[in-house]
Short mmCIF file of all heavy atoms in Angstrom, two decimals:
data_model
loop_
_atom_site.label_atom_id
_atom_site.label_comp_id
_atom_site.label_asym_id
_atom_site.label_seq_id
_atom_site.Cartn_x
_atom_site.Cartn_y
_atom_site.Cartn_z
N LEU O 22 22.55 -4.70 -2.76
CA LEU O 22 21.89 -3.92 -1.56
C LEU O 22 20.91 -2.73 -2.02
O LEU O 22 19.93 -2.59 -1.46
CB LEU O 22 23.11 -3.40 -0.87
CG LEU O 22 22.68 -2.48 0.47
CD1 LEU O 22 21.93 -3.40 1.47
CD2 LEU O 22 24.00 -1.87 1.10
N ALA O 23 21.45 -1.97 -3.05
CA ALA O 23 20.66 -0.87 -3.52
C ALA O 23 19.34 -1.38 -4.19
O ALA O 23 18.31 -0.83 -3.91
CB ALA O 23 21.42 -0.07 -4.56
N ALA O 24 19.47 -2.40 -4.99
CA ALA O 24 18.21 -2.91 -5.64
C ALA O 24 17.26 -3.52 -4.63
O ALA O 24 16.06 -3.42 -4.84
CB ALA O 24 18.68 -4.00 -6.78
N ASN O 25 17.78 -4.14 -3.63
CA ASN O 25 17.01 -4.71 -2.59
C ASN O 25 16.23 -3.63 -1.80
O ASN O 25 14.95 -3.70 -1.58
CB ASN O 25 17.91 -5.48 -1.58
CG ASN O 25 17.17 -6.31 -0.53
OD1 ASN O 25 16.68 -5.81 0.37
ND2 ASN O 25 17.05 -7.59 -0.94
N TYR O 26 16.88 -2.52 -1.49
CA TYR O 26 16.27 -1.43 -0.95
C TYR O 26 15.16 -0.78 -1.72
O TYR O 26 14.09 -0.52 -1.20
CB TYR O 26 17.34 -0.29 -0.56
CG TYR O 26 16.62 1.04 0.05
CD1 TYR O 26 16.25 1.14 1.32
CD2 TYR O 26 16.29 2.08 -0.79
CE1 TYR O 26 15.70 2.13 1.86
CE2 TYR O 26 15.69 3.17 -0.35
CZ TYR O 26 15.32 3.24 0.96
OH TYR O 26 14.70 4.45 1.47
N PHE O 27 15.38 -0.48 -3.02
CA PHE O 27 14.39 0.12 -3.85
C PHE O 27 13.26 -0.85 -4.18
O PHE O 27 12.05 -0.34 -4.34
CB PHE O 27 15.09 0.66 -5.11
CG PHE O 27 15.82 1.82 -4.94
CD1 PHE O 27 17.25 1.81 -5.22
CD2 PHE O 27 15.25 3.04 -4.62
CE1 PHE O 27 18.03 2.96 -4.98
CE2 PHE O 27 16.02 4.19 -4.49
CZ PHE O 27 17.39 4.17 -4.55
N SER O 28 13.46 -2.11 -4.09
CA SER O 28 12.40 -3.07 -4.24
C SER O 28 11.55 -2.95 -3.00
O SER O 28 10.31 -3.03 -3.09
CB SER O 28 12.85 -4.50 -4.50
OG SER O 28 13.60 -4.59 -5.78
N ASP O 29 12.24 -2.98 -1.82
CA ASP O 29 11.42 -2.88 -0.60
C ASP O 29 10.62 -1.61 -0.67
O ASP O 29 9.43 -1.53 -0.09
CB ASP O 29 12.30 -2.83 0.55
CG ASP O 29 12.98 -4.19 0.81
OD1 ASP O 29 12.31 -5.12 0.47
OD2 ASP O 29 13.91 -4.14 1.74
N GLU O 30 11.19 -0.47 -1.08
CA GLU O 30 10.52 0.78 -1.22
C GLU O 30 9.24 0.71 -2.06
O GLU O 30 8.28 1.38 -1.68
CB GLU O 30 11.42 1.92 -1.60
CG GLU O 30 10.86 3.30 -1.58
CD GLU O 30 10.45 3.70 -0.27
OE1 GLU O 30 10.95 3.21 0.73
OE2 GLU O 30 9.55 4.61 -0.23
N GLU O 31 9.26 0.00 -3.12
CA GLU O 31 8.11 -0.14 -4.03
C GLU O 31 6.99 -0.84 -3.13
O GLU O 31 5.70 -0.44 -3.37
CB GLU O 31 8.49 -0.93 -5.23
CG GLU O 31 7.26 -1.31 -6.14
CD GLU O 31 6.50 -0.17 -6.63
OE1 GLU O 31 6.92 0.95 -6.60
OE2 GLU O 31 5.28 -0.41 -7.04
N LEU O 32 7.32 -1.87 -2.42
CA LEU O 32 6.34 -2.52 -1.65
C LEU O 32 5.86 -1.65 -0.56
O LEU O 32 4.56 -1.71 -0.26
CB LEU O 32 7.00 -3.76 -0.99
CG LEU O 32 7.34 -4.92 -2.06
CD1 LEU O 32 7.98 -6.06 -1.31
CD2 LEU O 32 6.16 -5.43 -2.76
N ARG O 33 6.59 -0.91 0.00
CA ARG O 33 6.24 0.12 1.00
C ARG O 33 5.26 1.09 0.42
O ARG O 33 4.34 1.44 1.18
CB ARG O 33 7.36 0.82 1.63
CG ARG O 33 8.16 -0.01 2.78
CD ARG O 33 9.10 0.80 3.50
NE ARG O 33 10.30 1.18 2.74
CZ ARG O 33 11.40 0.49 2.72
NH1 ARG O 33 11.50 -0.70 3.54
NH2 ARG O 33 12.43 0.76 2.08
N GLU O 34 5.50 1.60 -0.86
CA GLU O 34 4.61 2.60 -1.36
C GLU O 34 3.25 2.03 -1.55
O GLU O 34 2.13 2.67 -1.42
CB GLU O 34 5.20 3.08 -2.63
CG GLU O 34 4.45 4.24 -3.28
CD GLU O 34 4.23 5.46 -2.32
OE1 GLU O 34 5.12 5.70 -1.56
OE2 GLU O 34 3.09 6.03 -2.31
N ILE O 35 3.18 0.73 -1.93
CA ILE O 35 1.77 -0.01 -2.22
C ILE O 35 1.12 0.00 -0.77
O ILE O 35 -0.08 0.26 -0.75
CB ILE O 35 2.15 -1.36 -2.63
CG1 ILE O 35 2.53 -1.24 -4.06
CG2 ILE O 35 0.80 -2.15 -2.53
CD1 ILE O 35 2.82 -2.67 -4.74
N ARG O 36 1.79 -0.27 0.25
CA ARG O 36 1.17 -0.33 1.63
C ARG O 36 0.78 1.00 2.02
O ARG O 36 -0.28 1.14 2.69
CB ARG O 36 2.23 -0.90 2.69
CG ARG O 36 2.51 -2.43 2.43
CD ARG O 36 3.43 -3.00 3.43
NE ARG O 36 3.71 -4.37 3.11
CZ ARG O 36 4.50 -5.10 3.89
NH1 ARG O 36 5.13 -4.58 4.90
NH2 ARG O 36 4.83 -6.29 3.47
N ARG O 37 1.60 2.10 1.77
CA ARG O 37 1.14 3.44 2.11
C ARG O 37 -0.14 3.87 1.34
O ARG O 37 -1.03 4.40 2.05
CB ARG O 37 2.25 4.51 1.70
CG ARG O 37 3.52 4.31 2.55
CD ARG O 37 4.59 5.35 2.14
NE ARG O 37 5.80 5.08 2.75
CZ ARG O 37 6.91 4.82 2.03
NH1 ARG O 37 6.77 4.78 0.65
NH2 ARG O 37 8.10 4.57 2.52
N GLY O 38 -0.27 3.45 0.14
CA GLY O 38 -1.45 3.73 -0.64
C GLY O 38 -2.62 2.96 0.01
O GLY O 38 -3.76 3.45 0.00
N GLU O 39 -2.46 1.74 0.34
CA GLU O 39 -3.43 0.92 0.99
C GLU O 39 -3.89 1.54 2.25
O GLU O 39 -5.18 1.53 2.64
CB GLU O 39 -2.97 -0.47 1.22
CG GLU O 39 -3.90 -1.40 2.10
CD GLU O 39 -5.33 -1.54 1.44
OE1 GLU O 39 -5.56 -1.17 0.30
OE2 GLU O 39 -6.17 -2.01 2.13
N LEU O 40 -3.00 2.05 3.09
CA LEU O 40 -3.39 2.63 4.37
C LEU O 40 -4.13 3.91 4.11
O LEU O 40 -5.14 4.25 4.86
CB LEU O 40 -2.15 3.02 5.23
CG LEU O 40 -1.45 1.74 5.83
CD1 LEU O 40 -0.14 2.26 6.50
CD2 LEU O 40 -2.29 0.96 6.80
N ARG O 41 -3.84 4.68 3.07
CA ARG O 41 -4.55 5.85 2.80
C ARG O 41 -5.97 5.54 2.39
O ARG O 41 -7.04 6.20 2.72
CB ARG O 41 -3.87 6.70 1.68
CG ARG O 41 -2.58 7.36 2.13
CD ARG O 41 -2.12 8.37 1.13
NE ARG O 41 -1.72 7.75 -0.08
CZ ARG O 41 -0.30 7.37 -0.36
NH1 ARG O 41 0.51 7.52 0.55
NH2 ARG O 41 -0.08 6.75 -1.40
N ARG O 42 -6.12 4.39 1.54
CA ARG O 42 -7.43 3.95 1.10
C ARG O 42 -8.28 3.48 2.27
O ARG O 42 -9.52 3.82 2.37
CB ARG O 42 -7.28 2.82 0.07
CG ARG O 42 -8.54 2.27 -0.50
CD ARG O 42 -8.26 1.04 -1.22
NE ARG O 42 -8.07 -0.12 -0.35
CZ ARG O 42 -9.09 -0.88 0.08
NH1 ARG O 42 -10.40 -0.63 -0.23
NH2 ARG O 42 -8.83 -1.89 1.00
N GLN O 43 -7.62 2.76 3.18
CA GLN O 43 -8.46 2.30 4.33
C GLN O 43 -8.86 3.37 5.19
O GLN O 43 -10.07 3.50 5.65
CB GLN O 43 -7.54 1.32 5.21
CG GLN O 43 -7.28 -0.02 4.45
CD GLN O 43 -6.45 -0.99 5.35
OE1 GLN O 43 -6.21 -0.70 6.48
NE2 GLN O 43 -6.16 -2.11 4.71
N ALA O 44 -7.96 4.38 5.33
CA ALA O 44 -8.38 5.62 6.21
C ALA O 44 -9.55 6.37 5.60
O ALA O 44 -10.54 6.84 6.33
CB ALA O 44 -7.18 6.53 6.38
N LYS O 45 -9.53 6.54 4.34
CA LYS O 45 -10.62 7.18 3.60
C LYS O 45 -12.00 6.42 3.73
O LYS O 45 -13.08 7.09 3.99
CB LYS O 45 -10.25 7.30 2.12
CG LYS O 45 -11.29 8.21 1.35
CD LYS O 45 -10.76 8.34 -0.07
CE LYS O 45 -11.72 9.23 -0.96
NZ LYS O 45 -11.29 9.49 -2.27
N LEU O 46 -11.97 5.08 3.55
CA LEU O 46 -13.05 4.25 3.78
C LEU O 46 -13.66 4.37 5.21
O LEU O 46 -14.97 4.41 5.36
CB LEU O 46 -12.83 2.86 3.28
CG LEU O 46 -12.64 2.55 1.90
CD1 LEU O 46 -12.23 1.16 1.68
CD2 LEU O 46 -13.85 2.89 1.15
N LYS O 47 -12.75 4.38 6.15
CA LYS O 47 -13.21 4.45 7.49
C LYS O 47 -13.96 5.82 7.79
O LYS O 47 -15.00 5.81 8.53
CB LYS O 47 -12.06 4.26 8.52
CG LYS O 47 -11.53 2.84 8.62
CD LYS O 47 -10.36 2.71 9.54
CE LYS O 47 -9.84 1.30 9.54
NZ LYS O 47 -8.66 1.16 10.46
N GLN O 48 -13.34 6.78 7.27
CA GLN O 48 -14.13 8.16 7.32
C GLN O 48 -15.42 8.21 6.72
O GLN O 48 -16.24 8.96 7.32
CB GLN O 48 -13.16 9.30 6.69
CG GLN O 48 -11.80 9.56 7.48
CD GLN O 48 -11.00 10.59 6.73
OE1 GLN O 48 -11.33 11.02 5.52
NE2 GLN O 48 -9.91 11.08 7.40
N GLN O 49 -15.61 7.43 5.66
CA GLN O 49 -16.98 7.37 5.12
C GLN O 49 -17.89 6.33 5.74
O GLN O 49 -18.99 6.16 5.32
CB GLN O 49 -16.73 6.95 3.66
CG GLN O 49 -16.03 8.05 2.83
CD GLN O 49 -15.61 7.61 1.32
OE1 GLN O 49 -15.93 6.41 1.03
NE2 GLN O 49 -14.93 8.46 0.63
N GLY O 50 -17.34 5.67 6.81
CA GLY O 50 -18.08 4.66 7.55
C GLY O 50 -18.35 3.45 6.75
O GLY O 50 -19.26 2.68 7.07
N LYS O 51 -17.36 3.07 5.87
CA LYS O 51 -17.64 1.80 5.01
C LYS O 51 -16.78 0.76 5.59
O LYS O 51 -15.72 1.04 6.36
CB LYS O 51 -17.08 2.18 3.56
CG LYS O 51 -18.06 3.16 2.81
CD LYS O 51 -17.52 3.33 1.50
CE LYS O 51 -18.42 4.32 0.72
NZ LYS O 51 -17.98 4.53 -0.74
N THR O 52 -17.04 -0.45 5.27
CA THR O 52 -16.23 -1.61 5.72
C THR O 52 -14.90 -1.64 5.05
O THR O 52 -14.83 -1.42 3.75
CB THR O 52 -17.07 -2.98 5.42
OG1 THR O 52 -18.32 -2.90 6.01
CG2 THR O 52 -16.23 -4.16 5.91
N VAL O 53 -13.85 -1.94 5.75
CA VAL O 53 -12.48 -1.99 5.21
C VAL O 53 -12.06 -3.41 4.97
O VAL O 53 -11.93 -4.26 5.95
CB VAL O 53 -11.51 -1.22 6.05
CG1 VAL O 53 -10.20 -1.29 5.46
CG2 VAL O 53 -11.96 0.27 6.21
N ASP O 54 -11.76 -3.84 3.79
CA ASP O 54 -11.42 -5.13 3.50
C ASP O 54 -9.87 -5.05 3.01
O ASP O 54 -9.43 -4.01 2.46
CB ASP O 54 -12.10 -5.79 2.38
CG ASP O 54 -13.49 -6.10 2.70
OD1 ASP O 54 -13.78 -6.57 3.93
OD2 ASP O 54 -14.43 -6.01 1.94
N LYS O 55 -9.09 -6.00 3.47
CA LYS O 55 -7.59 -6.03 3.01
C LYS O 55 -7.55 -6.09 1.64
O LYS O 55 -8.20 -6.89 0.87
CB LYS O 55 -6.95 -7.11 3.74
CG LYS O 55 -5.41 -6.94 3.83
CD LYS O 55 -4.80 -7.94 4.85
CE LYS O 55 -3.35 -7.65 5.11
NZ LYS O 55 -2.76 -8.58 6.04
N HIS O 56 -6.69 -5.26 1.04
CA HIS O 56 -6.50 -5.15 -0.43
C HIS O 56 -5.05 -5.41 -0.77
O HIS O 56 -4.11 -4.92 -0.20
CB HIS O 56 -6.84 -3.67 -0.89
CG HIS O 56 -6.64 -3.37 -2.33
ND1 HIS O 56 -7.42 -4.00 -3.30
CD2 HIS O 56 -5.76 -2.69 -2.97
CE1 HIS O 56 -6.97 -3.50 -4.52
NE2 HIS O 56 -5.88 -2.78 -4.21
N TYR O 57 -4.83 -6.16 -1.94
CA TYR O 57 -3.50 -6.46 -2.40
C TYR O 57 -3.35 -5.99 -3.84
O TYR O 57 -4.34 -5.86 -4.67
CB TYR O 57 -3.26 -7.98 -2.35
CG TYR O 57 -3.12 -8.51 -1.02
CD1 TYR O 57 -4.26 -9.16 -0.33
CD2 TYR O 57 -1.97 -8.41 -0.18
CE1 TYR O 57 -4.09 -9.70 0.91
CE2 TYR O 57 -1.82 -8.95 1.06
CZ TYR O 57 -3.00 -9.60 1.64
OH TYR O 57 -2.88 -10.13 2.90
N GLU O 58 -2.08 -5.75 -4.29
CA GLU O 58 -1.77 -5.30 -5.62
C GLU O 58 -0.50 -6.08 -6.08
O GLU O 58 0.28 -6.51 -5.32
CB GLU O 58 -1.42 -3.83 -5.71
CG GLU O 58 -2.58 -2.93 -5.42
CD GLU O 58 -2.11 -1.41 -5.58
OE1 GLU O 58 -1.24 -1.15 -6.30
OE2 GLU O 58 -2.78 -0.60 -4.87
N VAL O 59 -0.46 -6.23 -7.38
CA VAL O 59 0.77 -6.80 -8.07
C VAL O 59 1.73 -5.62 -8.27
O VAL O 59 1.43 -4.63 -9.07
CB VAL O 59 0.41 -7.47 -9.40
CG1 VAL O 59 1.69 -7.95 -9.93
CG2 VAL O 59 -0.52 -8.61 -9.12
N PRO O 60 2.89 -5.60 -7.66
CA PRO O 60 3.85 -4.43 -7.80
C PRO O 60 4.30 -4.43 -9.24
O PRO O 60 4.47 -5.50 -9.94
CB PRO O 60 4.99 -4.87 -6.97
CG PRO O 60 4.48 -5.85 -5.98
CD PRO O 60 3.41 -6.53 -6.70
N GLN O 61 4.40 -3.22 -9.82
CA GLN O 61 4.69 -3.03 -11.32
C GLN O 61 5.97 -2.24 -11.53
O GLN O 61 6.37 -2.26 -12.72
CB GLN O 61 3.38 -2.37 -11.95
CG GLN O 61 2.26 -3.16 -11.81
CD GLN O 61 2.15 -4.50 -12.63
OE1 GLN O 61 3.12 -4.76 -13.49
NE2 GLN O 61 1.22 -5.27 -12.31
N ASN O 62 6.51 -1.54 -10.61
CA ASN O 62 7.60 -0.61 -10.86
C ASN O 62 8.96 -1.33 -10.68
O ASN O 62 9.02 -2.30 -9.92
CB ASN O 62 7.46 0.65 -10.07
CG ASN O 62 6.24 1.40 -10.42
OD1 ASN O 62 5.84 1.49 -11.47
ND2 ASN O 62 5.66 2.09 -9.36
#
């Protein structure tokens, strides 16, 4: 249960970073494409 939660949290952190990246690009008036990463932690 604990390992499952912390693995989910790593995926959530990647998504949070992606949402921050998209928000920044939108503020700059740039096109936002969906971005994926390979989880490493």
Side-chain angles (χ1 to χ4, degrees):
L22 179 66
N25 191 278
Y26 172 83
F27 285 113
S28 296
D29 284 345
E30 185 59 24
E31 171 60 16
L32 294 176
R33 279 192 287 269
E34 187 53 40
I35 289 175
R36 292 182 185 179
R37 292 183 192 114
E39 171 59 11
L40 289 176
R41 290 192 293 267
R42 185 190 74 89
Q43 291 182 6
K45 187 175 180 180
L46 288 174
K47 286 180 180 178
Q48 287 177 353
Q49 297 172 356
K51 296 180 180 179
T52 303
V53 178
D54 294 321
K55 204 166 187 180
H56 174 74
Y57 292 98
E58 292 181 28
V59 179
Q61 299 293 348
N62 296 325

